Amino acid sequence: MPTAVPASTPARPTGPAVGTAPARTGRSRRPGRLLAAAVLTASALGLATATPASAASAESARNHPATHYLALGDSLAAGYQSTPGGGHVVGRGYAQDLARTLGDRAEAAGRPFSFTDLGCPGEDTGTMIHGGCPYPHPYAGSQLAAAVSYLKAHRKDRVVVTIDIGANNVDGCASGGQLNLPCAVNGIAAVDRDLDRILGELRSAAGPHTRIVGMNLYDPFLAAWLTGDQGRALATLSVPLADALNATIDRVDAAHHVPTADVGAAFATNAFLPMVPLGGTQVPLNVARIMQWTNMARGDIHANDTGYQVIADTFLAEL
């Protein structure tokens, strides 16, 4: 999600840190008006309809487990976490948690299993398509091109693909207790356009036994609630932005018949009630979950081990 909030909230890392489906149908695009309305009202969630995992697909996953797992996205997919001493690690996130479970399923069925993580910290939808992710990565061009090559090479295999992307498109759209609406509208419009292309290319490259699952996002700006009145205003304003971004992700995923792991709901993003205890005071549930499931207590927007496991479990619900 966006960064550049009061001093207690960090900026994202800028240096080293860490099945084929039916064709998509057309949909109208009026991003300026629709997205502005979405940012300003929490009813934006009503714009999207995620595609739930069916009972038949769940049974198929149990009886015919995936033999390959491909993780795509940004720092969350890469498993970025800061460490208490001021350092960082990669490879300790939801993709690794999910790979362990999928690997166990494959082993129980007597099948081989492989895990490939192409996630790149700092990636947005544009760099995912065109290249230029700022963090070192194992491919020469773009992450999307690397993913397409992987899927073409595994068209006959049972592959699970997870993808999280879009948070960095709205980086910096909230600061100083205010929401920059034009920035948010432009960022969300880019997600709408680019995610459509990304999923279209992945679908075209994927074989009949490939399952792609998307993910929407939690809202780390909620941590600003703890910094006083101005912080509470920013935290409150950030939720409609998160809702609008998640509504866009959910809608584009659904247009490509891609189920969405509802991480926003898992983190109770819209739950300013009930109030719950945290550090000797009472805070909204959504604030408590951000503080308990991410590293925002030390200024890092990324999930901690608990939060990453919640994300992995949310993906598993769609598999």
Side-chain angles (χ1 to χ4, degrees):
M1 294 300 299
T3 53
V5 295
S8 62
T9 305
R12 64 181 173 88
T14 56
V18 6
T20 305
R24 174 182 169 274
T25 57
R27 52 191 169 92
S28 63
R29 293 177 179 272
R30 294 176 295 166
R33 187 168 68 183
L34 291 179
L35 293 174
V39 170
L40 291 172
T41 67
S43 65
L45 288 175
L47 295 174
T49 303
T51 304
S54 67
S57 65
E59 183 178 358
S60 177
R62 287 191 298 269
N63 296 335
H64 305 283
T67 56
H68 298 78
Y69 170 34
L70 175 65
L72 304 175
D74 51 31
S75 52
L76 298 180
Y80 173 91
Q81 290 198 53
S82 63
T83 55
H88 61 266
V89 296
V90 292
R92 205 173 91 187
Y94 75 78
Q96 288 71 32
D97 295 335
L98 189 53
R100 281 191 290 271
T101 299
L102 295 178
D104 289 345
R105 289 179 178 178
E107 183 179 8
R111 297 176 181 270
F113 180 76
S114 71
F115 167 45
T116 301
D117 192 342
L118 300 183
C120 187
E123 194 88 285
D124 61 26
T125 58
T127 61
M128 189 172 194
I129 293 170
H130 302 293
C133 181
Y135 191 80
H137 46 74
Y139 36 89
S142 72
Q143 185 177 165
L144 179 58
V148 166
S149 294
Y150 178 98
L151 291 174
K152 287 181 177 178
H154 293 279
R155 285 187 62 87
K156 296 181 180 180
D157 298 320
R158 293 191 175 275
V159 182
V160 165
V161 181
T162 60
I163 178 171
D164 79 85
I165 196 70
N168 292 320
N169 289 74
V170 292
D171 186 22
C173 292
S175 63
Q178 296 183 351
L179 172 66
N180 183 333
L181 183 58
C183 171
V185 169
N186 290 337
I188 295 170
V191 174
D192 187 22
R193 177 189 66 244
D194 293 344
L195 184 58
D196 180 57
R197 174 175 172 179
I198 290 166
L199 293 180
E201 292 195 21
L202 294 177
R203 275 299 194 193
S204 293
H209 305 299
T210 294
R211 182 162 175 78
I212 304 171
V213 184
M215 168 187 144
N216 62 28
L217 302 158
Y218 59 83
D219 178 8
F221 272 161
L222 285 164
W225 182 277
L226 302 176
T227 65
D229 291 343
Q230 189 177 29
R232 291 188 180 193
L234 176 58
T236 301
L237 285 170
S238 73
V239 170
L241 170 59
D243 286 349
L245 179 59
N246 285 344
T248 297
I249 293 170
D250 294 351
R251 178 166 49 82
V252 178
D253 284 354
H256 288 273
H257 305 273
V258 170
T260 306
D262 195 353
V263 171
F267 276 69
T269 297
N270 290 84
F272 283 100
L273 291 173
M275 302 292 282
V276 297
L278 180 74
T281 188
Q282 295 284 312
V283 301
L285 175 62
N286 53 4
V287 175
R289 287 195 171 172
I290 284 297
M291 298 309 298
Q292 293 166 341
W293 293 356
T294 76
N295 287 310
M296 283 301 292
R298 58 171 175 263
D300 173 20
I301 66 174
H302 300 89
N304 57 24
D305 289 338
T306 300
Y308 274 128
Q309 185 62 63
V310 169
I311 296 172
D313 290 343
T314 308
F315 269 115
L316 284 170
E318 300 297 336
L319 293 170

